[in-house]
């Protein structure tokens, strides 16, 4: 089990509130006396601070699994608004239909885990307008704000008119500085020059392009190229009868390559009349790995592929998944 060092401010380091530089937004990030606080703890603290029993909190689906648990523990009610595949676009009508008299807040993760989506300016304006008009609070998870691709730019929801006083921002030094699990190292990395962020972004963009190319080459359906974060939400080949859970199981058994079944990021919604079969057709890959590890994964998947370029598992037992 990992043990963290006692939380303290390291000598010579600036207060971590300077991490957001001069942005005058309402922040929930580590203070100078609690530099070891992780992003999940910050998010949970925000939820417990503003959510009362029975309050509804809107989230966009697919969604990082931690959010639902925090809201439920605070005795709030998570309400999931489905983003439309394959580009995971926000339908304003679905957002409006999810609002009730008990709605208290909206949670926004952009760039998003698991899809790699960066919410557009129009989508953010829609969310901001709803928050201001209905007097909602917003909790944003901006952990991947510096990891965006193809000239996409992260825009904080707090930067929109009327949102400064109603937005709680959570983020993470360990993700930004690529030192997950080494939080004091992340604080030390605060001394890094601005060029560091561009170098980090370029490195991840190359890894993204590499994984997209080799997964498409073995039959995965890549209709949405990640715009940010270090995750790829890939659709299982159309010709494959396996579910996401079955497919991931065979990847592990036969190739030694690990991914996450997509259904774990989807949740029950108010829009039950929609066809949600696609929820069992996605799996999430993480490309925050060394080039050698990515190359080894590509080689193993290549060894399993047929002449047609699609993966061919030797044998498998179908279960009701």
């Amino acid at each position: 089990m990992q043990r963290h060092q006692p939380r303290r401010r390291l000598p010579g380091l600036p207060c971590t509130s300077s991490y957001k530089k001069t942005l005058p937004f309402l922040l929930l990030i580590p203070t100078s006396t609690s530099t070891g606080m992780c992003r999940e703890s910050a998010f949970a603290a925000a939820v417990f601070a503003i959510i009362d029993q029975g309050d509804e909190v809107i989230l966009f689906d697919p969604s990082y699994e931690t959010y639902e648990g925090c809201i439920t523990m605070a005795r709030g009610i998570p309400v999931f608004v489905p983003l439309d595949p394959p580009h995971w676009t926000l339908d304003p009508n679905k957002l409006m239909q999810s609002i009730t008299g008990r709605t208290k807040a909206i949670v926004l993760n952009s760039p998003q885990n698991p899809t790699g989506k960066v919410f557009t300016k129009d989508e953010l304006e829609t969310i901001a307008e709803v928050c201001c008009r209905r007097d909602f609070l917003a909790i944003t998870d901006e952990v991947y704000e510096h990891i965006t691709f193809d000239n996409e730019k992260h825009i904080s929801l707090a930067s929109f008119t009327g949102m400064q006083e109603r937005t709680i921002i959570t983020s993470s030094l360990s993700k930004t500085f690529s030192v997950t699990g080494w939080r004091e190292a992340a604080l030390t990395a605060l001394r890094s020059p601005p060029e560091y962020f561009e170098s980090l972004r370029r490195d991840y963009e190359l890894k993204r392009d590499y994984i997209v190319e080799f997964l498409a080459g073995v039959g995965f359906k890549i209709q949405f190229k990640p715009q940010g974060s270090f995750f790829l939400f890939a659709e299982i080949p159309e010709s494959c009868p396996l579910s996401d859970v079955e497919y991931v199981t065979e990847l592990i058994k036969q190739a030694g390559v690990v991914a996450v079944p997509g259904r774990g990021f989807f949740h029950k919604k108010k829009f039950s009349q929609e066809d949600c079969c696609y929820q069992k057709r996605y799996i999430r890959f993480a490309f925050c790995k060394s080039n050698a590890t990515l190359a080894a994964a590509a080689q193993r998947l290549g060894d399993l592929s047929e002449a047609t370029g699609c993966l061919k598992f030797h044998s498998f037992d179908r279960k009701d998944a």
Side-chain angles (χ1 to χ4, degrees), residues 85-88 114-115 211-226 231-240 247 251 277-278 280-285 301 308-311:
H87 297 100
W88 311 110
T115 65
I211 191 175
V212 165
E213 181 177 0
F214 81 68
L215 288 178
V218 294
F220 282 94
K221 196 173 180 181
I222 313 292
Q223 297 187 74
F224 180 74
K225 202 173 182 180
F231 299 109
L232 170 66
F233 217 36
E235 192 172 357
I236 296 170
E238 291 181 345
S239 60
C240 181
Y247 201 97
L251 276 182
C277 292
Y278 66 86
K280 295 183 180 181
R281 301 297 299 172
Y282 282 90
I283 60 179
R284 191 198 72 175
F285 290 93
L301 293 180
T308 59
C310 295
L311 291 182

Side-chain angles (χ1 to χ4, degrees), residues 48 126 260:
F48 276 89
T126 295
V260 179

Side-chain angles (χ1 to χ4, degrees), residues 59-62 80-96 98 108-110 112 115-124 126-127 152 223-225 227 233 266 269 271 274 278 282:
L59 306 99
F60 300 107
D61 217 45
F80 293 93
V81 177
L83 300 174
D84 294 337
H87 297 100
W88 311 110
T89 53
L90 172 61
D91 183 341
N93 292 326
K94 291 180 181 178
L95 173 58
M96 295 306 298
S98 299
L108 175 68
N109 172 214
S110 180
Q112 197 205 39
T115 65
K117 172 186 172 62
V118 173
F119 279 71
T120 67
K121 184 178 181 182
D122 287 344
E123 291 171 331
L124 294 173
T126 295
I127 297 169
E152 290 283 349
Q223 297 187 74
F224 180 74
K225 202 173 182 180
Q227 300 166 327
F233 217 36
F266 291 105
K269 310 173 183 69
F271 307 98
E274 289 194 351
Y278 66 86
Y282 282 90

